[in-house]
Amino acid sequence: MTKSRGIEEGIRVAVSTVILTLRRETEEPRIALPLVRRIRDPHRDCWALPGGWLDPRESLEEAAARTLAETTGLAPSYLEQLYAFGAVNRSPGRVVSVVYWALLRPDTVDALGAQSTAPHDAAGAAPENVAWYDASDLPPLAFDHAQIIDYALWRLRNKVGYSRVAQGFLPPEFTLAELREAYETILGRRLDPANFRRQVESAGNLVPTDAFRTGSHRPARLYRNDTDVELADRGPLAPEETRTS
Amino acid sequence: MTKSRGIEEGIRVAVSTVILTLRRETEEPRIALPLVRRIRDPHRDCWALPGGWLDPRESLEEAAARTLAETTGLAPSYLEQLYAFGAVNRSPGRVVSVVYWALLRPDTVDALGAQSTAPHDAAGAAPENVAWYDASDLPPLAFDHAQIIDYALWRLRNKVGYSRVAQGFLPPEFTLAELREAYETILGRRLDPANFRRQVESAGNLVPTDAFRTGSHRPARLYRNDTDVELADRGPLAPEETRTS
């Protein structure tokens, strides 16, 4: 079908966003993301990443931010371009999708009323046909969106090794145990608490506060990000790309 | 001018490639890249990255490889998507440029007859209006291509910290001093030879050969890449993205 198309038929540009957050309702935190149920062909009734056509009057990043706002009503704590996907047969028409990925703090997601790990329609201002899914238990996905999500999770796992991107999953103040838990969930393995504390403290990017988390365990000091340092160094693109909530 | 355009006028997709190599004619190696002189408006007579419109029948990566072949006649030792640039006013018409970056081994560049660091038209099969420029001494560039090159050089500097991408600048066999020199040129600073040797040897990605480089210094053992390991881990995208010459 696509073989017979000529150059003159053109190529369309879409923007999609992989929006990741950490859900903590259960004993084990999990990475979750919102998906949108398609109401049109192709792939009608399949789930897809939030996204839409690029408007000629908006930049790629503006389109990604608009998509995110339309889906969740929220601004992400970290937004970065992931990759441009442009395989010839990824869609019936020729579509290049520029995909962004974003991290949402769980506290802002909770405000949406989207706490359940079971898929459900988002409450409030969010559009219908949006549901949050556990990243390890996804429904059938439209187009190449399963591959795109795989790649986003891989990029996240890699990026925690050389940036502070895991802090995009945490509220403004957090304990070292909560930070370690975010790393463990991203990496899919346990980290030694004492080694983790040493590494984080020697990196010097956390600011200890005077507050403590109290509860069933002994009080744990709360830390916050050093906001003078970006969560990940994006070099010459930083001024355009920075979005912090 | 762009403000009055409607959505229906559409968006065009271009693919460009930043092709980097290491030039060794002088005492200090330098990073060099080929540029193409524009023969049409806009930006006529300015220099630009090699590139062109995406053909609907080719993937983004095929378009990047075609561009590279048309410019230099060669396949890169490393080719990776850099970023999609899509600011609204980066071109008179709305153009999203998906940019790739490639590393070329100096020995393959030499075969082109393009050895001089001074700009000149490439010899042989390469098209006219192509010249190699020192990355630290670029001519006036069309569109946002100066920003794109800045970003590519920044990505290269970052990537040497967590991958073996510098080896994309070296012939199949090389000495540790040549590898260190490649790192030093990319990073713009000297590295301690003994520390460098220890780090490279402990990483275990180099295979010592039985051959030695002889000349004015004492003989130095030649190493080659461990070709079982990719120059940089690209995760789920690797099967599609891998191109090695």
Side-chain angles (χ1 to χ4, degrees), chain B residues 209-229:
Chain B
T209 73
D210 293 332
F212 289 79
R213 174 96 70 226
T214 54
S216 55
H217 301 286
R218 69 187 170 103
R221 185 182 291 278
L222 289 167
Y223 292 76
R224 61 175 174 80
N225 295 330
D226 181 351
T227 52
D228 290 343
V229 189

Side-chain angles (χ1 to χ4, degrees), chain B residues 17-151:
Chain B
T17 308
V18 184
I19 303 164
L20 302 172
T21 195
L22 206 64
R23 318 298 296 276
R24 299 174 158 281
E25 301 78 34
T26 55
E27 192 60 34
E28 297 273 310
R30 291 156 179 274
I31 294 172
L33 71 167
L35 297 172
V36 180
R37 185 158 35 202
R38 290 183 57 82
I39 55 174
R40 293 188 191 86
D41 284 323
H43 299 284
R44 182 201 290 254
D45 293 331
C46 279
W47 294 86
L49 294 168
W53 301 115
L54 176 64
D55 182 310
R57 294 160 298 194
E58 66 187 353
S59 71
L60 294 169
E61 195 186 7
E62 286 165 352
R66 171 176 60 81
T67 289
L68 187 63
E70 287 171 359
T71 310
T72 67
L74 291 167
S77 46
Y78 184 83
L79 178 65
E80 185 188 77
Q81 193 182 104
L82 179 69
Y83 202 79
F85 291 83
V88 173
N89 295 315
R90 60 183 297 274
S91 174
R94 183 66 199 277
V95 178
V96 172
S97 280
V98 181
V99 179
Y100 281 73
W101 65 301
L103 303 189
L104 274 185
R105 300 201 165 104
D107 53 325
T108 57
V109 178
D110 288 349
L112 263 188
Q115 290 101 331
S116 168
T117 49
H120 68 279
D121 289 346
E128 294 177 14
N129 288 315
V130 177
W132 288 79
Y133 278 91
D134 188 329
S136 63
D137 187 19
L138 295 171
L141 291 162
F143 309 111
D144 52 359
H145 290 193
Q147 186 201 5
I148 293 175
I149 294 170
D150 271 356
Y151 182 64

Side-chain angles (χ1 to χ4, degrees), chain A residues 41-115:
Chain A
D41 285 322
H43 299 285
R44 180 202 293 255
D45 293 329
C46 280
W47 294 87
L49 294 168
W53 301 114
L54 176 65
D55 183 310
R57 294 160 298 194
E58 67 186 351
S59 72
L60 295 169
E61 196 186 5
E62 285 165 353
R66 171 176 60 81
T67 289
L68 187 63
E70 288 171 359
T71 309
T72 67
L74 291 167
S77 44
Y78 183 82
L79 178 65
E80 186 189 76
Q81 193 183 104
L82 179 69
Y83 203 79
F85 291 82
V88 173
N89 294 316
R90 58 184 297 276
S91 174
R94 183 68 198 276
V95 178
V96 172
S97 280
V98 182
V99 179
Y100 281 74
W101 65 301
L103 303 188
L104 274 184
R105 299 201 167 104
D107 52 325
T108 57
V109 178
D110 289 349
L112 264 188
Q115 290 103 328

